[in-house]
Amino acid sequence: MAHTKKNRFVKTSNSWRFRGNEVKYVREVLNSGFGSSTSGNMNQRYERAFSGRFGTKYAVTSNSGTSTLHQALMAFGVGPGDEVILPALTVVMCGYAVIHAGARPVFADVDPDTFLIDPKDIERKITSRTKAIMPVHLYGQVCDMRSIMKIAKKHRLAVVEDCAQCYLGTDDTGRLGGTIGDVGSFSTENSKHISTGDGGILITNSEVLAERMRKFGGMGFKNIRAQNGQVRKNKDTFQDPKYLRHDTFGYNYRLPEVAAAIGLAQVEQIDFLVRKRQQIAAKYLKALKGCDWIIPQRVPKGSINSYYTFAVRYEGEKKRGVSWYNFRKKFMEFGGDGIYAAWALVYNEPIMQLINKKGAFFPGLPNQARQFKGYLKRVSCPKAEKLQPLIMQFTTNQGIEKDMDLQMNALKKAIRFFDEQYT
Ligand SMILES: *Cc1c(COP(=O)(O)O)cnc(C)c1O
């Protein structure tokens, strides 16, 4: 923590991520007096920079990476009676988005080595009601998109890639995550590679999808187009009692201009920010050399992992007699950051069970979700069940080499400590 004379705010260890034009662009927004909150100028600049970096025709900003998933599913036409296939191992919000769209989430199992959705299980779980697939590029690694797109094509399914944890990662053919399916969905919540505090952004090459996603997130204003979200074009036509504004259903998922300003500055730094995470991941990999009881997320040949976190399968319980918790404790004693556990499988979260059992969104308020009652009847993801308790996520948000080395050395020491105890 360091105070500076000019800046009365306390800088934390994470503030290194905002070293670019963030303040300058926020200042521009404030200096404009917000013009009109619907002018969307900074959002448009941010979108152009983002779609430019990813090489897509359109980018659409949003207020979160949960909203973006909802927008994508709505744009696909997903609704009641439909099913959407997603991995069991991901954040619960992926399941929320499906339910919010009125459809049923169907959970596919994951590969125990890549930790990602298993295409073979996707195919097994397709029914006549399946409308879309939501592969999640977990921990920074792109799913097996070759197989997934083959399945999608064969069964005519829409694909939304959840890239909240994967910026500039590629599959084994070198394609960027988010540019392979119909839509790529990103979150810029605080923990992600690039951050606007909270926020989200969608990319696509489809004009139809871009316009639907933007309209759905922009309250259905009829002036909204795929390219931009400007609502008030000409005051004189707008200010007329006969003027009709809305031709589509939608919510307010707009990203504030101030957040878009930070987003623009973050995109300018995106390669640097991703490289930092890959740099510490390389150090963790070095620390794991020769260790057969901590297995890193498998990166298929030709793929690039963007390492949102450095995820491993911990087998120390079986192979060293050391529990998950005791390894974490020892790692921290050696100066390591807290290791993160994997979230519970989506369908094991109490709310997802409540929806299944009671058809309720809130305990004590029955019937609100009665159409989803029993939706978990056939759920079966044995590999994910086995894998989830073994996952450890090491942090990758260190800004300087000294902090990275501290983590690498803590990992080395913890491994050596338990190896020596064992032999
Ligand atoms: C963070 C995250 C989300 C949700 O993003 P928010 O911006 O927090 O709503 C969705 N999916 C995955 C995989 C995430 O990591």
Side-chain angles (χ1 to χ4, degrees), residues 205-236:
N205 285 315
S206 158
E207 182 176 3
V208 172
L209 292 176
E211 182 170 312
R212 283 191 201 142
M213 292 190 296
R214 198 191 290 285
K215 278 198 168 179
F216 186 73
M219 294 160 287
F221 275 103
K222 76 173 179 197
N223 285 344
I224 288 175
R225 293 287 170 270
Q227 289 286 6
N228 77 72
Q230 283 180 8
V231 170
R232 285 184 197 139
K233 288 187 172 157
N234 179 341
K235 269 203 175 122
D236 288 332

Side-chain angles (χ1 to χ4, degrees), residues 82-101:
D82 294 335
E83 293 173 355
V84 176
I85 299 179
L86 71 162
L89 180 69
T90 180
V91 296
V92 74
M93 292 81 92
C94 296
Y96 287 174
V98 177
I99 285 179
H100 205 175

Side-chain angles (χ1 to χ4, degrees), residues 184-212:
S185 161
F186 296 80
S187 163
T188 55
E189 177 270 334
N190 195 38
S191 70
K192 318 295 188 191
H193 290 78
I194 68 170
S195 175
T196 59
D198 262 312
I201 189 162
L202 294 149
I203 52 176
T204 183
N205 285 315
S206 158
E207 182 176 3
V208 172
L209 292 176
E211 182 170 312
R212 283 191 201 142

Side-chain angles (χ1 to χ4, degrees), residues 54-101:
F54 282 83
T56 57
K57 283 197 191 133
Y58 305 96
V60 177
T61 54
S62 178
N63 64 359
S64 85
T66 306
S67 307
T68 48
L69 294 172
H70 188 202
Q71 284 167 278
L73 294 175
M74 293 305 287
F76 294 158
V78 167
D82 294 335
E83 293 173 355
V84 176
I85 299 179
L86 71 162
L89 180 69
T90 180
V91 296
V92 74
M93 292 81 92
C94 296
Y96 287 174
V98 177
I99 285 179
H100 205 175

Side-chain angles (χ1 to χ4, degrees), residues 85-386:
I85 299 179
L86 71 162
L89 180 69
T90 180
V91 296
V92 74
M93 292 81 92
C94 296
Y96 287 174
V98 177
I99 285 179
H100 205 175
R104 289 190 171 209
V106 172
F107 295 98
D109 214 342
V110 299
D111 179 298
D113 296 317
T114 63
F115 312 161
L116 303 172
I117 194 166
D118 176 4
K120 284 197 209 80
D121 205 44
I122 294 178
E123 192 132 42
R124 253 178 248 128
K125 283 169 179 167
I126 287 176
T127 71
S128 58
R129 294 165 183 265
T130 309
K131 191 84 173 248
I133 312 173
M134 184 191 292
V136 181
H137 305 328
L138 219 52
Y139 309 129
Q141 174 65 47
V142 178
C143 299
D144 175 2
M145 291 306 291
R146 266 192 301 157
S147 304
I148 291 169
M149 293 313 291
K150 242 187 244 160
I151 294 167
K153 213 167 190 180
K154 186 169 147 201
H155 298 271
R156 296 168 175 257
L157 306 175
V159 176
V160 52
E161 298 173 68
D162 184 348
C163 312
Q165 303 189 358
C166 184
Y167 284 82
L168 305 183
T170 74
D171 75 347
D172 60 354
T173 67
R175 293 175 296 181
L176 286 174
T179 66
I180 309 165
D182 298 282
V183 170
S185 161
F186 296 80
S187 163
T188 55
E189 177 270 334
N190 195 38
S191 70
K192 318 295 188 191
H193 290 78
I194 68 170
S195 175
T196 59
D198 262 312
I201 189 162
L202 294 149
I203 52 176
T204 183
N205 285 315
S206 158
E207 182 176 3
V208 172
L209 292 176
E211 182 170 312
R212 283 191 201 142
M213 292 190 296
R214 198 191 290 285
K215 278 198 168 179
F216 186 73
M219 294 160 287
F221 275 103
K222 76 173 179 197
N223 285 344
I224 288 175
R225 293 287 170 270
Q227 289 286 6
N228 77 72
Q230 283 180 8
V231 170
R232 285 184 197 139
K233 288 187 172 157
N234 179 341
K235 269 203 175 122
D236 288 332
T237 40
F238 214 78
Q239 298 316 334
D240 175 342
K242 291 207 267 304
Y243 185 73
L244 300 171
R245 288 164 176 76
H246 305 273
D247 66 355
T248 310
F249 188 74
Y251 295 139
N252 186 353
Y253 284 169
R254 285 192 308 223
L255 184 72
E257 284 280 279
V258 167
I262 297 169
L264 174 59
Q266 288 275 283
V267 175
E268 291 172 353
Q269 301 279 327
I270 191 169
D271 290 83
F272 164 79
L273 291 164
V274 171
R275 213 157 47 234
K276 283 280 178 197
R277 296 198 190 225
Q278 291 166 332
Q279 200 183 340
I280 180 161
K283 289 176 189 279
Y284 284 134
L285 278 171
K286 221 165 101 187
L288 289 185
K289 263 220 170 104
C291 175
D292 70 347
W293 47 280
I294 298 180
I295 317 297
Q297 181 176 29
R298 191 172 78 80
V299 182
K301 197 163 170 250
S303 267
I304 296 172
N305 192 329
S306 66
Y307 290 110
Y308 167 67
T309 54
F310 182 77
V312 304
R313 191 175 70 237
Y314 177 75
E315 296 187 348
E317 179 108 45
K318 195 168 69 191
K319 293 187 174 154
R320 287 292 176 276
V322 179
S323 74
W324 193 101
Y325 306 94
N326 282 341
F327 183 87
R328 181 176 189 272
K329 209 168 127 210
K330 188 56 70 181
F331 174 69
M332 288 170 77
E333 272 171 38
F334 285 127
D337 267 353
I339 294 167
Y340 300 136
W343 328 269
L345 301 186
V346 173
Y347 59 77
N348 283 334
E349 289 290 347
I351 175 57
M352 301 307 271
Q353 294 280 330
L354 180 75
I355 293 169
N356 180 52
K357 281 191 195 116
K358 299 264 166 77
F361 285 143
F362 301 92
L365 287 182
N367 288 333
Q368 226 164 10
R370 61 176 170 269
Q371 67 273 36
F372 298 108
K373 222 166 156 176
Y375 79 103
L376 292 177
K377 215 181 311 176
R378 280 194 300 273
V379 76
S380 163
C381 301
K383 289 177 191 156
E385 292 280 354
K386 231 170 112 183

